[in-house]
Amino acid sequence: MTAATDLAERPEPRRKTISSPYIHKLQRRHFLLFDIAPILGTLAAVAFLGVHPLGWTELGLLVGFWLLTGLGVTVGYHRLFTHRTFRTTPAVQAVLAVLGSMAGQGAVISWVALHRRHHEFSDREGDPHSPNLSGGGLVGALRGLAHSHFLWMRRHEYPNVVHYAPDLIRNRALVKVARGYYWWVALGLAVPALVGGLVDLSWQGAVSGLLWGGFVRIFVLEHIVWAINSFLHMFGTRPYESRENSRNGGIFALLTLGESWHNNHHAFPESPSFGLDWYRLDPGFWLIKALEAIGLAWDLKTPSDERRESRRVRPAGA
């Protein structure tokens, strides 16, 4: 066998990303439906206040569905499916995947593939949403923030799920949840509309429930999550060594359900606790600990004190 024949028969290496006009068309559609539409829906909610004033029902739907879907993203999409920081039952996996899907941030397997690629290339070429690759100076910083916070989703190289999420595509139940993504988003809009209509016994209550528990809730949660990608890769504290520019924003810990301990997370991605210390607020970890207490979560892999100390940033000259 000649060298040329051997080379011809050798399989090509698996592609890490896929880019095609069809995929870019799907990305534009998702961007319009789940990134632009919530902005319009939020404006409509404000305008609709002239028809139906904001009440406790709307506030309850906004906060309640924000909390449920936000926990679906941080505990399910992020800590469980992306980083495998703990193990749980198939039923809990399914519930977390459905709640995360209702957030409108992408199907679970695609989300995981994107986030694993982000960790592989964080703040380097190949990172889907770094704010630090758009040039220097004020203009470069503003361009980077706009890209990482919002604009990158219009069109980007799609991570190959066969490469980045082979464990998830072997999970048949999770694949079924991912395939029903659009239906789960629709359910996340329909339920608050139904609740609002039943509580108020009017079409105005249903519309108000849809707007505040649906579109406004998606808008608020999206921008909270996107701020982690953008602002917390430029501003904040950095207690631990990490190869990228991740930062902590502890003041936003409750609002982000613990995600704003971003430097902690990049330094110890295997940890289910992002706060790391008991006094650092981390509602996502509180849920995981509650599941552990009733036997529905196990194998939590928090870093040891020795490992944390080895990664701590030292003062200059120390």
Side-chain angles (χ1 to χ4, degrees):
M1 181 180 293
T2 65
T5 303
D6 181 54
L7 185 61
E9 292 181 355
R10 189 178 304 164
E12 293 185 6
R14 180 184 297 156
R15 296 172 60 189
K16 287 189 173 185
T17 60
I18 304 171
S19 185
S20 72
Y22 176 70
I23 288 177
H24 295 323
K25 179 182 178 180
L26 294 179
Q27 290 170 345
R28 287 193 298 270
R29 183 178 72 180
H30 192 277
F31 181 72
L32 292 172
L33 286 175
F34 302 122
D35 302 328
I36 299 298
I39 297 174
L40 301 178
T42 300
L43 295 175
V46 174
F48 200 68
L49 291 176
V51 177
H52 189 283
L54 185 67
W56 289 110
T57 300
E58 290 77 19
L59 288 174
L61 289 169
L62 171 60
V63 174
F65 275 85
W66 160 76
L67 182 60
L68 287 171
T69 57
L71 288 171
V73 172
T74 183
V75 176
Y77 272 33
H78 196 187
R79 307 188 203 209
L80 175 60
F81 298 122
T82 301
H83 295 292
R84 298 296 189 186
T85 66
F86 67 99
R87 296 174 64 193
T88 187
T89 65
V92 173
Q93 288 184 36
V95 170
L96 289 172
V98 167
L99 290 175
S101 299
M102 287 181 178
Q105 296 183 17
V108 56
I109 296 176
S110 297
W111 197 100
V112 167
L114 274 165
H115 196 72
R116 286 177 177 176
R117 182 167 175 82
H118 162 64
H119 272 263
E120 181 182 10
F121 294 100
S122 189
D123 285 329
R124 297 178 295 164
E125 289 299 329
D127 186 343
H129 44 64
S130 172
N132 298 306
L133 302 175
S134 299
L138 179 61
V139 173
L142 293 175
R143 187 187 298 119
L145 283 172
H147 166 78
S148 62
H149 189 80
F150 188 66
L151 297 180
W152 72 274
M153 291 170 284
R154 296 175 303 171
R155 176 189 172 111
H156 57 86
E157 290 190 333
Y158 181 72
N160 185 353
V161 297
V162 175
H163 176 81
Y164 284 102
D167 53 326
L168 301 190
I169 61 179
R170 288 193 295 266
N171 185 329
R172 293 184 179 181
L174 206 60
V175 170
K176 287 183 178 179
V177 172
R179 286 176 176 169
Y181 167 66
Y182 284 91
W183 291 107
W184 300 126
V185 177
L187 183 65
L189 297 173
V191 172
L194 179 63
V195 172
L198 290 175
V199 170
D200 203 61
L201 294 179
S202 69
W203 69 267
Q204 294 96 331
V207 172
S208 192
L210 169 66
L211 291 173
W212 290 96
F215 289 104
V216 176
R217 178 262 305 172
I218 290 176
F219 171 82
V220 170
L221 182 58
E222 282 181 334
H223 285 275
I224 289 172
V225 172
W226 297 341
I228 308 299
N229 297 335
S230 55
F231 291 98
L232 289 185
H233 273 261
M234 295 187 76
F235 309 105
T237 60
R238 190 169 181 265
Y240 294 104
E241 295 284 355
S242 57
R243 70 185 185 192
E244 76 300 305
N245 198 39
S246 59
R247 306 281 168 155
N248 285 342
I251 193 172
F252 305 111
L254 281 179
L255 186 64
T256 63
L257 303 177
E259 288 282 334
S260 66
W261 302 111
H262 197 52
N263 174 253
N264 295 359
H265 166 59
H266 268 273
F268 308 103
E270 77 285 358
S271 174
S273 171
F274 289 178
L276 297 179
D277 297 300
W278 66 267
Y279 54 86
R280 300 188 192 279
L281 304 177
D282 187 353
F285 185 56
W286 299 343
L287 175 59
I288 297 171
K289 291 296 288 184
L291 291 172
E292 183 187 38
I294 58 176
L296 293 178
W298 58 92
D299 287 355
L300 279 63
K301 296 170 282 193
T302 52
S304 65
D305 291 341
E306 292 77 13
R307 185 158 186 267
R308 287 178 56 187
E309 191 61 29
S310 70
R311 299 296 302 275
R312 197 172 296 278
V313 172
R314 309 293 177 186

